[in-house]
Amino acid sequence: MSRLYDSRKRILVTGGAGFIGSHLVDRLLGEGHEVLCVDNLFTGTKRNIEHLHDNPRFEFMRHDVTFPLYVEVDEIYNLACPASPVHYQHDPVQTTKTSVHGAINVLGLAKRLGCKVLQASTSEVYGDPEVHPQVEGYWGHVNPVGPRSCYDEGKRCAETLFFDYHRQHGVEIKVARIFNTYGPRMHHADGRVVSNFLVQALRGEDITLFGDGRQTRSFCYVDDLVEGLVSLMATGPEVTGPVNLGNPHEFTMRELAERVIALTGSGAEMSERPLPLDDPRQRRPDITLARDLLDWTPRVELAEGLAETMHYMKRRLAELDEVTRT
Ligand code: NAD
Ligand code: UDP
Ligand code: UDP
């Protein structure tokens, strides 16, 4: 949609009240754009966006993306979808609907408006990968009928829809395959490993290490990820992705637990729990494509990012303690 008065864009961010979405919204507002944040607040919270309440360029709409959405915007970032295994397995049918019906609706919207649309896809499309590190050309190793399938297959189907709307209807698409991202505003009870370990260590509780802790992940700090998303959106129509976005430094979950214990100075002990079904054994992005296409590379290493996240979690836990005392 071309605007009459200025070159400022009006940008839709679905899932904008979530962890990554709220940082993206901050970034886009900081660049002078108008942002429409659409979220059903399933895992996101108003707290993540409450600092934007008085910003005249910010608008919040409570809406579920599985239903059609008729708005006028110039660009769309589609982030709506629970990302933590605990949350996406809570209502798996709704998770698949969110990815699939949500994709159809934002693509229909982008088709009508003739605007760019970016999909927050995931490293989970590679499943429990047999190729390491993961390159975009790898088709993945995904169980279609397991407890993670609602998320993995939902996101895979969303990618299919993005590419079919592109080929069939000429919609300008950008598909980002996001690897494990962490940082402030992750929900303290989110269930993901970084928030779990930090909260447990800060509370002096046992650190729940699933399996033997030798499985690996590569953790990207949220500011780096947002930079990658914005850079991908800024590319010309020839760039569709999929493009991996993540930090290639790989850690075992035992190493992560050790780092969290050292950082927090906690006396917490590790306590081994059963490994969840289909938990990927290894994960690390090959980011050659992102480096070449976007000139993007993550800057924040785990020590720095974990410290920032710990400060945030400390503040959140203190606020929660205050609420229970009063
Ligand atoms: P999050 O759970 O904090 O954010 C997801 C947001 O989507 C929440 O605000 C939630 O309320 C909203 N939402 C969920 N279902 C919705 C629906 N049907 N309609 C409208 N809103 C809905 O998770 P996040 O980590 O910020 O993830 C954001 C996106 O990035 C997700 O699409 C996720 O799959 C993707 N992603 C995240 C990671 C990661 O490590 N954080 C990795 C890969 C991909
Ligand atoms: N849609 C929407 N907003 C729009 C245009 C479409 O939410 O501005 C939704 C609508 O639910 C539609 C879907 O996107 O069913 C797919 O749109 P498309 O034009 O591809 O298909 P059709 O309208 O033929 O179903
Ligand atoms: N994990 C863990 N303890 C926890 C939560 C997660 O050991 O309290 C492990 C989990 O089994 C997985 C890794 O940490 O191997 C990352 O889990 P997360 O849920 O953060 O994301 P995933 O990458 O599996 O989607």
Side-chain angles (χ1 to χ4, degrees), residues 15-24 37 39 41 43-45 48-49 185:
F19 156 54
I20 298 176
S22 63
H23 287 276
L24 176 64
C37 166
D39 200 299
L41 300 180
T43 52
T45 65
N48 286 341
I49 47 171
R185 299 196 196 139

Side-chain angles (χ1 to χ4, degrees), residues 14-22 38-45 48 63-66 78-84 87 94 97-98 119-124 151 155 176-182 185-187 190 192 225:
T14 76
F19 156 54
I20 298 176
S22 63
V38 165
D39 200 299
N40 70 350
L41 300 180
F42 175 50
T43 52
T45 65
N48 286 341
H63 174 82
D64 183 325
V65 294
T66 62
N78 186 37
L79 272 67
C81 186
S84 154
H87 290 138
Q94 172 68 9
K97 282 186 187 170
T98 294
Q119 168 68 355
S121 190
T122 169
S123 53
E124 286 284 321
Y151 185 75
K155 289 283 188 179
R177 288 188 179 151
I178 302 170
F179 284 64
N180 296 65
T181 299
Y182 71 101
R185 299 196 196 139
M186 287 186 97
H187 197 278
D190 177 277
R192 283 181 274 189
L225 195 269

Side-chain angles (χ1 to χ4, degrees), residues 83-86 88 123-124 148 151 180 186 190-194 196-197 200 207-211 213 215-217 219 253 256 274-276 279-280 283:
S84 154
V86 176
Y88 70 64
S123 53
E124 286 284 321
R148 298 176 83 98
Y151 185 75
N180 296 65
M186 287 186 97
D190 177 277
R192 283 181 274 189
V193 71
V194 173
N196 266 14
F197 284 5
Q200 289 161 346
I207 296 214
T208 51
L209 193 61
F210 296 169
Q215 71 274 33
T216 69
R217 295 292 186 273
F219 297 103
M253 293 310 97
L256 178 70
L275 189 68
D279 199 279
R283 189 181 286 153

